[in-house]
Amino acid sequence: MKLQMIQDSNGEDMGVFIPIKEWLAIKNLYPDIEEISKDLPKWEKDLIDRRLEEISQNPERLIKEKKSLKS
């Protein structure tokens, strides 16, 4: 994927430009991606935090997924 970083006048990264071909590939994999705009509820954030803590304490239990974006 060929991304371009958008920077402010101080050189700080502010955003990312994704070429349309890659964006369409992402949308094919995740059809509802444009609808994901709301903040997560606190209970979901707490659940994610607990799971991340468990992973950091037991990284050997993490199963890595082999999945890539294909254009």
Side-chain angles (χ1 to χ4, degrees):
M1 183 176 299
K2 189 169 187 163
L3 304 176
Q4 294 177 357
M5 300 300 290
I6 300 170
Q7 299 174 335
D8 65 11
S9 58
N10 296 321
E12 297 291 323
D13 292 337
M14 298 296 294
V16 177
F17 173 80
I18 303 172
I20 193 67
K21 187 175 181 181
E22 282 85 357
W23 175 244
L24 294 174
I26 291 169
K27 284 177 54 172
N28 281 334
L29 289 173
Y30 306 99
D32 62 345
I33 193 166
E34 291 183 295
E35 297 171 18
I36 303 172
S37 62
K38 297 181 182 176
D39 283 338
L40 293 175
K42 183 171 178 359
W43 70 267
E44 282 187 279
K45 290 178 184 179
D46 292 343
L47 177 63
I48 292 168
D49 288 341
R50 283 194 307 273
R51 289 182 177 173
L52 289 171
E53 180 63 28
E54 290 172 8
I55 290 169
S56 69
Q57 292 176 3
N58 300 295
E60 69 281 353
R61 295 185 64 197
L62 185 63
I63 299 172
K64 294 182 182 178
E65 181 179 3
K66 293 183 179 179
K67 187 176 183 180
S68 64
L69 295 176
K70 294 182 180 178
S71 48

